[in-house]
Amino acid sequence: MDDLRLGLLLNAVSPAVGGVLVRGEKGTAKSTMVRALAGLLPSIATVAGCRFACDPAAPDPQCPDGPHPGAAAAERPAHLVELPVGVAEDRVVGSLDLERALAEGVQAYEPGLLAKAHRGVLYIDEVNLLQDHLVDLLLDAAAMGRSYVEREGVSVRHAARFLLVGTMNPEEGELRPQLLDRFGLTVEIAATRDADERAEVVRRRLAYDADPAGFAARWDGRERELAERITAARELLPDVELSDPALRQITAVCAAFEVDGLRADIVMARTAVALAAWAGRTAVLEEDVRKAAQLALPHRRRRNPFDAPGLDEEQLDETLAEHRAPEGPEGEGAEGPDEGPDDDGPGSGPGGGGPDGGGAPAPDTSDSPAGEASSDDVAAPPRQRPGGSRESAPVAADRPYRTRLFEVDGTGRGAQGRRSPAETAAGHTVRARRPRGRLARLHLSATLRAAAPHQLARGRSGRALVLRRDDLREQVRRGRESNLVLFVVDASGSMAARQRMTAVKGAVLSLLMDAYQRRDKIGLVTFRGAGAELALPPTSSVEVGAARLEQLPTGGRTPLEAGLLRAHEVLRVERLRDPDRRPLLVVVTDGRATGGQDALPRARRAAGLLAAQGVAAVVLDCESGPVRLGLARELAAHLHGEAVSLDDLRAEGVASLVREARTTMTTTRKAA
């Protein structure tokens, strides 16, 4: 937990660092650590009665409650504002005070959580589950130190400087690289594996449960020391000098690791200065630059959702040494990195800790299905399964590529995303309607138009509007939703023949990346041998899906019916858990089925069950060779879905077909 503790303290010393993103597995006290920080922050002086926490010494000239000439001051603790995952945009930025607008006929602004968090801490638990447009909004406010509100006839500017902290469990899905870049620092935490340390954690927790007040009093002295050290570091911060050699090392490290843009350079510089102030120094040393790189760069090196955050420690040391000043105080600090352990963190060393980070060549996987052994089996001998079928070793996937967009027909009401048309909480307003149940999003103008004709009959006097419940109208917004993309992958021996599995895995990996970009949940059902299994329950983590796909072996018979029935059961359960999220079934197969003479008819009856439920389906036809049976296309017909070949899956291929068709039409018209 040392890096998390340090990252939080550095932001407390210098909020300009840009916040902390905490990544870690469940049950590692991420939230406990963040909530404890609020008690260490110095109290703040505010203008009495100001809802925006203006500083009496320098009030915000654009404060909606201002101006504040000669206003009285009040002192209070810094706020810790927690942002729930399901929060709406108007609660975050604030909105028109509808009660006063309707009852008094005046335009008034009701502040949101950003105003409440000003000069305090804004904490987002499970930030990776927050809607993307809200994350963008929060990070923009954190970067600019100001919130801009333009909605419902309200135009407001107010200060919003806060310490932004987000926590997330990577198993539940990653943030986009563009959003990761907006967090100043990131830290990875995991529960200790040391038995004595775990015992001490349990001991302290039990002591707190037995006597919370006594436990807090026992640690009160240590917390006061930390709070005083934060105050001292804040006072020292303006006096810290970032020398040209240290700045040169910072920019050289960012260039060597090929991070995009210049935000990383700025964050590293601010972090190195904060580290020096925290250590009680007025000069930035090489050890500060090195630690700043470890905190500010790992999450900025991700290029796609399947890259794990990490930093090559050896490359970092080489770059620092290459740009080290030949003389001066930096020479003393150069020994800093060698004094502590620099190879015991996750992902240390070249390759970032991935199983195939070095790009080793994939093993020869030209195994044939059961009963069709080939001469290439010497390179990767099949394994004998208990049921008598042979299993080939996993093969590597082709490089992912941009795929076609597959949508679910109709208009849904699922979570906001980027795949299928839907009525969503965010998006453009298309019309107004009477509320269905509890009013969620008031359509103000439609409500006023509904109430206006009845004002005389209702005896209106003065500016206040006389409203009835029947006058209320809600907004209907049209956007796009995310879906549950359930992959049903044929991993039988027929898929291993003729080296098809490499191309098939590349296609599925490409569809996984597409699902990541469109904010979908994904699941993976595989079938081979004697039956089917749920290899990955529905999840938001496409990284886990890619890992399961990479480990997928092939071999044995083709129980297509079992795969489709297992998919039917998975979708039935998910429909109960999340009825608004519509599924998209992607069946990856050549259409063959084994298990008796009636194997194909049984598989088609199973497909009919899915079609009867209205499940949108796509069959990825993996059949290859000069002679093709067309079984996958027949399966698509029984699913009432679309059949797409591997060649037609690429978005570039579709675009080229369109261009060719347009060229042909133009040529024909000119000839005519």
Side-chain angles (χ1 to χ4, degrees):
M1 305 291 281
D2 289 343
D3 279 350
L4 173 56
R5 182 175 182 270
L6 180 61
L8 292 172
L9 291 172
L10 291 177
N11 274 271
V13 171
S14 175
V17 166
V20 188
L21 176 64
V22 187
R23 298 164 46 91
E25 59 195 24
K26 54 187 176 293
T28 48
K30 302 185 295 293
S31 302
T32 302
M33 181 79 87
V34 174
R35 293 187 179 104
L37 176 67
L40 300 177
L41 297 177
S43 58
I44 61 173
T46 65
V47 172
C50 177
R51 298 173 297 168
F52 300 86
C54 279
D55 186 349
D60 179 14
Q62 293 183 307
C63 177
D65 285 356
H68 302 296
E75 190 152 325
R76 65 164 175 80
H79 285 162
L80 171 69
V81 177
E82 296 194 37
L83 198 73
V85 170
V87 68
E89 182 178 350
D90 57 353
R91 186 69 187 96
V92 175
V93 300
S95 62
L96 180 69
D97 189 334
L98 293 176
E99 183 177 350
R100 294 190 62 190
L102 297 176
E104 303 174 22
V106 298
Q107 189 180 67
Y109 172 67
E110 181 69 23
L113 294 177
L114 289 182
K116 186 177 181 182
H118 179 48
R119 303 175 68 194
V121 180
L122 182 63
Y123 171 45
I124 314 170
D125 194 14
E126 307 293 352
V127 63
N128 51 326
L129 303 182
L130 197 65
Q131 294 184 23
D132 286 340
H133 74 285
L134 292 181
V135 178
D136 284 327
L137 186 153
L138 292 168
L139 295 176
D140 283 342
M144 296 185 294
R146 186 163 292 276
S147 176
Y148 296 84
V149 185
E150 298 285 350
R151 54 182 298 129
E152 298 165 346
V154 174
S155 180
V156 172
R157 310 283 188 272
H158 68 81
R161 294 185 299 275
F162 46 80
L163 196 168
L164 179 65
V165 183
T167 58
M168 60 175 283
N169 182 353
E171 294 178 356
E172 297 174 341
E174 287 282 1
L175 280 172
R176 287 181 289 150
Q178 298 92 325
L179 297 180
L180 282 173
D181 182 57
R182 304 299 294 274
F183 280 94
L185 310 180
T186 185
V187 292
E188 297 270 352
I189 63 171
T192 177
R193 299 298 184 257
D194 183 87
D196 292 336
E197 289 183 353
R198 296 174 76 98
E200 180 62 20
V201 171
V202 175
R203 190 177 295 113
R204 292 188 186 183
R205 175 69 203 198
L206 295 177
Y208 172 81
D209 291 340
D211 183 10
F215 184 88
R218 194 155 58 248
W219 292 94
D220 186 59
R222 292 283 297 276
E223 290 199 349
R224 277 202 307 271
E225 291 176 8
L226 268 179
E228 291 169 359
R229 187 175 174 185
I230 290 173
T231 302
R234 281 186 173 185
E235 295 172 353
L236 182 62
L237 191 68
D239 299 327
V240 176
E241 179 186 0
L242 179 63
S243 64
D244 286 342
L247 180 57
R248 181 78 176 180
Q249 283 187 314
I250 290 172
T251 55
V253 167
C254 292
F257 284 100
E258 300 179 349
V259 295
D260 296 331
L262 293 173
R263 184 176 284 117
D265 306 61
I266 297 171
V267 170
M268 270 192 67
R270 291 171 173 168
T271 305
V273 170
L275 280 162
W278 179 249
R281 289 185 268 101
T282 56
V284 173
L285 305 182
E286 183 176 307
E287 61 191 74
D288 301 323
V289 176
R290 188 178 194 278
K291 192 62 183 178
Q294 292 174 333
L295 294 173
L297 294 187
H299 62 299
R300 292 185 164 88
R301 302 199 64 225
R302 289 184 70 213
R303 291 295 185 269
N304 66 64
F306 308 130
D307 290 339
L311 202 65
D312 186 335
E313 300 281 349
E314 184 176 342
Q315 182 184 359
L316 174 60
D317 290 338
E318 290 175 356
T319 305
L320 290 173
E322 182 181 350
H323 294 84
R324 184 176 297 149
E327 57 184 0
E330 287 79 7
E332 301 173 4
E335 297 178 0
D338 298 329
E339 295 174 359
D342 54 2
D343 60 351
D344 59 349
S348 62
D356 56 353
D364 188 350
T365 54
S366 54
D367 304 311
S368 300
E372 299 178 9
S374 75
S375 59
D376 294 330
D377 289 344
V378 177
R383 296 187 295 271
Q384 192 74 19
R385 292 174 59 82
S389 62
R390 295 197 301 174
E391 179 184 277
S392 302
V395 301
D398 277 345
R399 291 178 60 86
Y401 47 82
R402 185 165 163 261
T403 66
R404 288 177 50 184
L405 168 62
F406 298 105
E407 298 180 345
V408 179
D409 291 337
T411 303
R413 297 189 305 274
Q416 185 179 358
R418 297 184 175 184
R419 184 172 297 278
S420 304
E423 293 180 3
T424 58
H428 61 282
T429 302
V430 294
R431 58 188 176 89
R433 68 183 177 198
R434 294 181 184 272
R436 298 177 179 175
R438 182 177 177 273
L439 178 65
R441 297 174 300 276
L442 179 72
H443 196 300
L444 183 58
S445 60
T447 299
L448 296 178
R449 286 196 302 269
H454 309 291
Q455 295 306 297
L456 290 177
R458 294 173 183 174
R460 175 185 175 185
S461 60
R463 301 179 62 184
L465 196 67
V466 181
L467 287 177
R468 300 286 187 267
R469 181 174 295 276
D470 289 343
D471 300 329
L472 297 178
R473 299 292 184 271
E474 68 178 1
Q475 300 176 24
V476 178
R477 296 182 180 179
R478 181 65 57 85
R480 289 192 172 270
E481 67 178 0
S482 63
N483 299 110
L484 167 60
V485 182
L486 181 62
F487 294 91
V488 181
V489 180
D490 182 352
S492 64
S494 64
M495 297 295 289
R498 296 184 293 277
Q499 296 295 303
R500 281 188 291 173
M501 204 59 190
T502 295
V504 168
K505 283 190 174 183
V508 177
L509 194 65
S510 302
L511 290 168
L512 281 172
M513 182 174 290
D514 182 67
Y516 165 82
Q517 293 169 341
R518 301 188 188 283
R519 314 295 178 261
D520 296 317
K521 290 181 70 174
I522 59 143
L524 177 62
V525 172
T526 63
F527 59 94
R528 61 189 174 92
E533 65 174 340
L534 180 60
L536 179 66
T539 176
S540 298
S541 178
V542 296
E543 299 83 359
V544 178
R548 298 289 170 84
L549 181 69
E550 181 182 358
Q551 300 162 6
L552 180 65
T554 56
R557 296 180 177 179
T558 312
L560 178 56
E561 177 197 18
L564 296 175
L565 290 177
R566 189 61 189 270
H568 181 271
E569 177 62 18
V570 170
L571 294 179
R572 185 189 68 80
V573 173
E574 284 302 308
R575 194 175 294 114
L576 296 175
R577 292 176 176 171
D578 190 356
D580 289 334
R581 190 183 294 271
R582 298 186 295 166
L584 174 63
L585 184 69
V586 179
V587 184
V588 185
T589 180
D590 56 8
R592 291 180 173 86
T594 57
Q597 293 183 350
D598 61 342
L600 272 177
R602 293 202 314 268
R604 289 166 180 171
R605 285 196 294 271
L609 288 176
L610 290 161
Q613 295 293 324
V615 176
V618 174
V619 177
L620 190 58
D621 185 358
C622 304
E623 195 173 26
S624 60
V627 179
R628 305 192 181 191
L629 302 178
L631 297 176
R633 296 191 176 275
E634 293 182 19
L635 176 64
H638 284 83
L639 285 167
H640 297 174
E642 179 183 5
V644 180
S645 68
L646 290 177
D647 294 335
D648 292 339
L649 181 63
R650 295 177 183 267
E652 305 92 277
V654 177
S656 64
L657 288 174
V658 172
R659 285 193 295 269
E660 290 175 6
R662 287 177 176 172
T663 303
T664 303
M665 291 174 62
T666 303
T667 304
T668 304
R669 287 173 181 171
K670 288 182 178 179

